[in-house]
Structure formats: structure tokens, C-alpha cells
Amino acid sequence: MVVAAGNGAYGSTEKTSAVRKPLMILPTIPRALSPGDQFMLPVTVFAMEPSVRQVSVNLQQNPFFDISGSPAQNITFDKPGDQVVYFNVKVKDVQGVGKLRITAQSGSEKAADETEIDIRNPNPFITRSMQMVLSPGQQWNASAKAIGIPSASTASLELSSLPPMNLQKRLQYLIRYPHGCIEQTTSGAFPQLVLKQLTDLSDAQQAETDRNIRAVIPRLTNFQNRDGGFGYWPGAPDSDEWGSSYAGHFLLEARLQGYLVNESAIQSWKSFQRTKANQWVPATNNFYGGDLQQAYRLYTLALAKAPELGAMNRLREFKYISPEAKWRLAAAYALAGYANAALDLVSGLPLEFPARQHPGMTFGSDLRDQAMALETLTIMGKRDKAQQLVGTVAARLSEDNWYSTQTTSYALLAIAKYCGKNPGKDKIIATVQVGGKPVQINSMKYLTQIPVPFAQGEVPMQVINKGNNTVYARLITTGQPLTGDSIRPTGNPSMLSMTVSYMGTNGKPIDISKMAQGTDFIAKVTVRNTGKQGTYQQMALTQVFPSGWEILNARLADAEPGYKSSPMTYQDIRDDRVHTYFNIRENETLQYSIQLNASYAGRYYLPATTCEAMYDNRIQAASGGRWVEVLNR
């Protein structure tokens, strides 16, 4: 385009000019693939000049793919135009970023295309562990066995002077958690802030921890509302009070450690906290858990050096204040410089809490409440009581029980803070052999981690306690089973029922085991609350689809879908999966539908569909995975 102007007059002209080569190629590839997938790779060859007649098309061999049949094909053009050639490709049992390089040649004319594609295992991570308590001089021999693909499986040996807390398992659970509300996003990073107080970190581990923390800090601003609070989901109209306190707590701790935090975001958050603190009164809608929510808010204000003493005193005089709220309020008084008031609040209080029937507005559990009490004792300098409690919290983490992101994060946080303020008296002295390579351990930290690399599927390991005190050893292995491996879906049909069905655009059921390429269809999930425990909050429905299917996102197409789903609180649509979040009342049935297209010919794995209450693992349902085919037209 040419534009001209002069003496108040303007003019322009434009001309379309085609940019092309005599020979061009265009492959059509799924956005992502899984180990074991088999697909038909179409390559469109364009002959733009009459001189292009005999064309040889080649697909290069590489470590990620096997080619069934010849990697080279020849085609003939009588005149300029386009033709399609097909290659049958199978994904090897590997993970990573694969490359498909295709070349074409006709005489002196050449064309090439190289496409990177993510090869990911859609199956969930599985963690296995074994442990041994080593007396002085005792030896332990064990073997770490890879789960799934050895190169993608990880293992870690933990040696601890405390009861082992499954640190690697619990930390990776938080980092890899697939959902991302304000609480879960914060929980994924919070323990990493204090990790170095608990264990020695290598330069690479410290760099990775810093990257994770720096990535989460700006992400949290996506949740912040105009009132200064943080919504449970990005764009939520109302701020979540516990989530606001929790996210603000993390940002304050991050700033104290030297991370860059937006000051205006902190000031806006403090204003929100102050307003809510002064407005709070007990009511029917916040009677259970509301006092703890207020106590935590007051604690964060005290941590921000802006204590609201009037609100603290009013809560202290509340007739029905719970023990867990007293522990949290005592921490606020201690930070504000009122040690005697803090001591009076916790005098005679128990260090055990009843198991919760519901996580409630604070996403809590009895273990989370114990962790908060441990943090309070650490702040108050009560080492003897804290020492008793830290062993209890660590021992509960070492069990193979499920804990929510909130409970896991706060338990690790409280243990690390205790360890940072109370250096260990017992050294960990041990000789370790991993795969025949010796490692000498001599550490004053409470916990030491030794990575176990998988060159093959199994690594022998030996530990000898050379010190004078007991050492707790735990070997933790994490990995994803191979696609198609037998993974038994877990569920509790007495609490939650779920059915998954597929239908055509005409509403009639279809068989997804074999579908013609180009078919539009709908995946419908029906979920029912069986009425055993009232309303279920913070439900998450996860649907991961095969590589050969495409999600038809009506929002991106600026069109209304031809089906209707039940109300939801949030929906996250990605390339190959959809996360849907909702609440479901007692005896209520909800339906959620996703429009799909069978886009790429081949054989692919359809992972399990799961539905769960994110803070109560008793409420869950799942369907099994299976192989499906998309037939070439």
C-alpha cells in the first residue's frame, strides 16, 4: 500500500502480490500427542509451476516416532495444483517435544517443513514410597523402580531427623495440581518460600524454586478485584475472604524475602482486609468458621504491621470463639507485640482438633488447624510444645492419606518455619550409594534429599546410618503410567454418581470407538449428588480428550453452542482438556456438554473423565479410559 498526503488532500493505492515458491508443502498435525498414539499424517503438496512434475516427499526418522511403511512417497503432477500424501506414524513410549521434519524435492526445487509437537502423557501422576527407620550403624538396601517411562519418572531419597514427611511427594502434588483457584495457586508456591529453612537446596533447585515463586506473584494479580480482595477464580465478581487472606499472607512473606511485589496491590489488599475486619460480626452465615476467618484476617494485618487492635479485642471477647480461632488470634497478638495477651489466649488450649465433616469457608481440616497452632507456637517462641507438635504434623504427612492443597501447603509451611527458627541438634551422618555411586551425607538440616536418576527402569540403593541418632529414610518415586496401562478409576458412587455419554449433533447416541473423520459430536457428563452430605462445594470436572479430537470452543467462535449446560462457577478450556467447576445441591442432577470434532485419522487414547470435590476426597467419581479410532474419509 502507498499513502500520499499534501495540501490537505489524501490518497492511497494498493495491490495484491502473491508470494510463493514453485514447490510448497503443508502438513496437518494434531496439537499434541500421547505415547502409543497412531495417526495418519496428511501432507499437502503444492505444485505452483508447470515445471514441477515428479515430486519425492520424505518424512525423516527421529527418536520420537516410528513410521509404518515407507518414509518416502512419490507423486506426479500433470499441471499446477495440489495433492495429498499420507504417512502412518506411531508415537514411541517417550515424552517431550518431538519434531516432524518433512522434505519435498522436484529436480532443483526443494521445500521443507519442521513442526514441533508436544508429546505428553495424559494419565495422572502416581507416587509410591517405602521407608525405614535406621538406628545408628543400621543399613538399608532398596531399589527404586521407575513408573511409566524411565526418563520421565523421578525418585528422591529423603533422610530426616524428624519423622519423614513425604516432602517430595507432597511438594510435587502442590506444584502439579491441575486446578488453579486462588487457594490452589497460592498453595503451589507458598511452601517453596520456606523450603530452604527445611533442607539444603542445590543451585539448580534454588533457581527452579525462584522461578516458580516469581511466576506465581504476578499471576495472583489476575484474581484481585477492585475492592482489593482476591476472587476465588479470575474475574469472579466477589472476593473470597479466606482466599484473600491466604494470598495476601503469601505476598507479604514473599516481599519479606526480597521478591518484587506490587506495592499498590498490597495497599489495596490491606484496605480490603481492614474494612472487612472492622465490619465483621458473628452471624448465622458465618458462625461456623467465621471466627477463624476473622482471626486469620487479623493475623495478616498484624504481619503487614497494620494491626487492628479494636477488632482483635472484640474477637477475643466473643463468647463462642473456637480453639482454632484462638490459636490464630494469639499469633496476631504476638506479632503486634502483646505477648501476654497471646499467652492468655492459648493457655490450656488443646493441640488436637476434631475431624471436620466439611472443609467449610476456610478449606480446612484438623491437620491444617494443627499446622496453624504449630506456626503460632513458633512465633511465640514456645519450642518445647512446638517440638511435640512438629513431630505429630510430620508423622501425619508421612502417611499415605490424601490431604487437600490447603492442608498440605500449610503443614509444610509450619514445619519449615519451625525448622528455620529452631536449628536441629542432631546431625544426619550417612553413607549412601545410588546406582553404585557413593554419596557422603553430613548435614545439620532436619532433612536431606538425594536425587535418584533413572538411566534404566530400576536403580539399586543403599543407606548406612553413620551417626549417633535415629535417621528416618524414605524413598519416593513418582511417574505417570504409560497410556493404555491399566489404571483403575476410583470413585464413591454412594456419594456421587456420574455417567459419560456421547451423541451426534442430532441428539442420538453414537459409538466413539470408531468414528469417521470430520464428525461433529457432543460429550455429555451427568453428575448427581446422592444426598448423603448436603450441598457439595468446589466440585471439579476434568475431561481430557484424545489427540485426534478437537474441542469446538463456542466462546472463541463467538457463537452460542447448540446444547445447554448446567450452571457453573468457572470453566477452563485448553487445547486438549476442559476443567469445569461448580457446586451441586443435595439430590441435584447437573449436566455438562462439550462439542467436539473427530479431526485427525488414527488410533488414540481417551483418558478417564473424573469429577471430585477439591477439598473432600470422599466425594469423587471416575470413568475408565479406552482406545478410540478416527477413520480416514
Side-chain angles (χ1 to χ4, degrees):
M1 173 180 282
V2 176
V3 179
N7 299 323
Y10 301 89
S12 66
T13 185
E14 62 180 272
K15 182 179 180 180
T16 301
S17 177
V19 178
R20 64 186 186 185
K21 294 173 60 179
L23 177 63
M24 296 186 294
I25 56 175
L26 178 65
T28 304
I29 306 170
R31 297 183 184 182
L33 291 166
S34 301
D37 280 351
Q38 301 176 42
F39 66 102
M40 187 175 289
L41 171 61
V43 180
T44 305
V45 182
F46 299 91
M48 309 304 292
E49 300 290 345
S51 59
V52 177
R53 301 184 67 83
Q54 300 291 332
V55 180
S56 175
V57 185
N58 289 270
L59 174 59
Q60 291 188 2
Q61 300 275 2
N62 65 70
F64 291 89
F65 303 100
D66 282 326
I67 304 170
S68 301
S70 174
Q73 296 193 38
N74 298 311
I75 53 176
T76 301
F77 287 90
D78 296 328
K79 59 182 179 179
D82 61 86
Q83 294 186 41
V84 181
V85 297
Y86 296 91
F87 296 93
N88 291 312
V89 182
K90 181 178 180 180
V91 184
K92 296 180 181 179
D93 288 337
V94 293
Q95 289 178 238
V97 179
K99 290 184 179 180
L100 285 168
R101 179 170 175 79
I102 304 161
T103 60
Q105 184 170 356
S106 176
S108 61
E109 299 295 342
K110 296 180 180 180
D113 182 275
E114 185 173 276
T115 304
E116 290 187 344
I117 184 166
D118 185 27
I119 301 173
R120 83 288 182 270
N121 190 334
N123 285 326
F125 281 91
I126 290 176
T127 299
R128 299 183 183 130
S129 62
M130 59 181 78
Q131 63 182 12
M132 175 66 74
V133 180
L134 298 175
S135 302
Q138 190 174 355
Q139 176 178 310
W140 181 38
N141 295 308
S143 292
K145 296 181 180 179
I147 300 174
I149 300 169
S151 61
S153 186
T154 60
S156 175
L157 173 65
E158 292 182 0
L159 303 179
S160 173
S161 57
L162 289 171
M165 64 196 74
N166 257 345
L167 177 64
Q168 187 69 12
K169 173 183 176 179
R170 301 298 183 185
L171 196 59
Q172 289 303 314
Y173 163 72
L174 294 174
I175 293 172
R176 291 171 174 155
Y177 195 72
H179 310 297
C181 71
I182 186 66
E183 184 278 322
Q184 294 147 2
T185 301
T186 305
S187 289
F190 215 155
Q192 297 183 72
L193 269 179
V194 293
L195 195 57
K196 59 188 174 185
Q197 299 180 36
L198 181 61
T199 184
D200 293 313
L201 298 177
S202 67
D203 291 342
Q205 289 172 323
Q206 184 62 58
E208 182 182 4
T209 298
D210 285 340
R211 281 196 303 271
N212 292 341
I213 294 169
R214 293 181 197 280
V216 166
I217 291 172
R219 196 183 308 160
L220 290 179
T221 60
N222 295 330
F223 293 84
Q224 193 164 27
N225 292 328
R226 291 183 178 181
D227 61 5
F230 293 84
Y232 188 76
W233 294 110
D238 300 316
S239 295
D240 183 86
E241 294 187 36
W242 186 269
S244 296
S245 294
Y246 192 47
H249 183 188
F250 166 76
L251 292 175
L252 291 175
E253 298 270 14
R255 187 173 66 171
L256 286 172
Q257 293 198 24
Y259 291 96
L260 182 62
V261 178
N262 188 302
E263 184 60 28
S264 64
I266 291 290
Q267 293 303 322
S268 179
W269 167 81
K270 284 168 63 175
S271 176
F272 172 84
Q273 293 289 88
R274 192 178 298 113
T275 300
K276 289 292 184 181
N278 290 319
Q279 290 177 346
W280 185 85
V281 291
T284 55
N285 66 335
N286 70 2
F287 193 83
Y288 296 102
D291 57 348
L292 177 57
Q293 185 166 263
Q294 172 74 342
Y296 189 31
R297 180 162 41 229
L298 294 170
Y299 166 81
T300 61
L301 285 169
L303 185 65
K305 303 189 184 306
E308 285 291 329
L309 291 175
M312 291 164 63
N313 291 334
R314 286 195 300 274
L315 180 60
R316 183 184 179 187
E317 298 302 321
F318 177 43
K319 182 178 179 181
Y320 301 104
I321 185 171
S322 63
E324 53 267 32
K326 284 185 177 181
W327 278 109
R328 189 76 324 207
L329 185 59
Y333 274 111
L335 289 176
Y338 296 89
N340 290 335
L343 192 59
D344 289 343
L345 266 171
V346 301
S347 179
L349 281 183
L351 291 174
E352 293 184 357
F353 302 88
R356 294 170 180 252
Q357 291 300 312
H358 303 276
M361 64 180 70
T362 71
F363 315 116
S365 68
D366 56 326
L367 177 56
R368 196 282 311 273
D369 295 338
Q370 280 188 311
M372 284 193 154
L374 172 60
E375 184 185 34
T376 298
L377 290 170
T378 302
I379 292 170
M380 295 174 63
K382 301 298 180 182
R383 175 166 182 159
D384 291 341
K385 277 193 172 182
Q387 190 172 13
Q388 300 172 21
L389 190 54
V390 73
T392 301
V393 174
R396 292 190 64 181
L397 282 182
S398 73
E399 299 168 355
D400 283 332
N401 294 332
W402 175 91
Y403 295 114
S404 71
T405 50
Q406 170 76 181
T407 295
T408 303
S409 176
Y410 223 101
L412 292 175
L413 179 70
I415 291 172
K417 283 189 172 183
Y418 167 84
C419 294
K421 197 167 183 179
N422 301 286
K425 297 178 181 178
D426 297 324
K427 267 191 172 185
I428 300 176
I429 304 174
T431 298
V432 178
Q433 285 200 17
V434 177
K437 296 181 179 179
V439 180
Q440 298 298 325
I441 305 297
N442 190 334
S443 175
M444 287 298 296
K445 291 285 188 179
Y446 283 91
L447 186 143
T448 295
Q449 290 182 305
I450 302 100
V452 180
F454 282 112
Q456 301 295 329
E458 187 170 347
V459 180
M461 184 203 66
Q462 182 186 83
V463 183
I464 304 175
N465 182 2
K466 295 287 189 178
N468 298 319
N469 53 284
T470 298
V471 170
Y472 299 88
R474 179 177 285 259
L475 178 62
I476 303 169
T477 307
T478 302
Q480 294 170 280
L482 285 172
T483 302
D485 282 1
S486 177
I487 302 176
R488 182 179 298 175
T490 57
N492 187 355
S494 66
M495 301 284 285
L496 184 72
S497 70
M498 181 184 73
T499 58
V500 182
S501 59
Y502 299 89
M503 64 186 71
T505 52
N506 58 3
K508 295 181 179 180
I510 63 170
D511 180 11
I512 62 167
S513 60
K514 291 186 178 181
M515 286 190 298
Q517 186 178 14
T519 301
D520 287 335
F521 62 105
I522 295 166
K524 184 174 75 172
V525 179
T526 303
V527 183
R528 181 175 178 271
N529 179 341
T530 57
K532 299 290 185 181
Q533 196 175 296
T535 298
Y536 299 160
Q537 303 282 346
Q538 287 93 32
M539 299 293 295
L541 170 64
T542 299
Q543 297 167 270
V544 183
F545 298 109
S547 307
W549 296 1
E550 287 277 4
I551 299 169
L552 302 181
N553 189 342
R555 294 184 300 191
L556 293 179
D558 196 25
E560 288 295 324
Y563 52 89
K564 188 172 180 62
S565 289
S566 299
M568 62 190 75
T569 56
Y570 189 70
Q571 190 171 61
D572 183 6
I573 301 176
R574 305 183 187 181
D575 281 349
D576 64 342
R577 65 196 64 199
V578 177
H579 297 293
T580 304
Y581 306 94
F582 58 93
N583 301 322
I584 183 169
R585 296 189 296 270
E586 187 173 354
N587 293 315
E588 185 178 23
T589 299
L590 301 177
Q591 291 184 349
Y592 296 98
S593 300
I594 300 295
Q595 194 169 358
L596 302 162
N597 177 268
S599 302
Y600 305 98
R603 182 174 181 266
Y604 307 95
Y605 187 70
L606 169 63
T609 296
T610 62
C611 187
E612 61 183 337
M614 293 187 288
Y615 297 97
D616 189 344
N617 77 322
R618 296 172 301 169
I619 305 168
Q620 57 178 305
S623 69
R626 56 171 161 160
W627 290 96
V628 297
E629 286 188 58
V630 177
L631 304 177
N632 190 29
R633 289 179 292 189

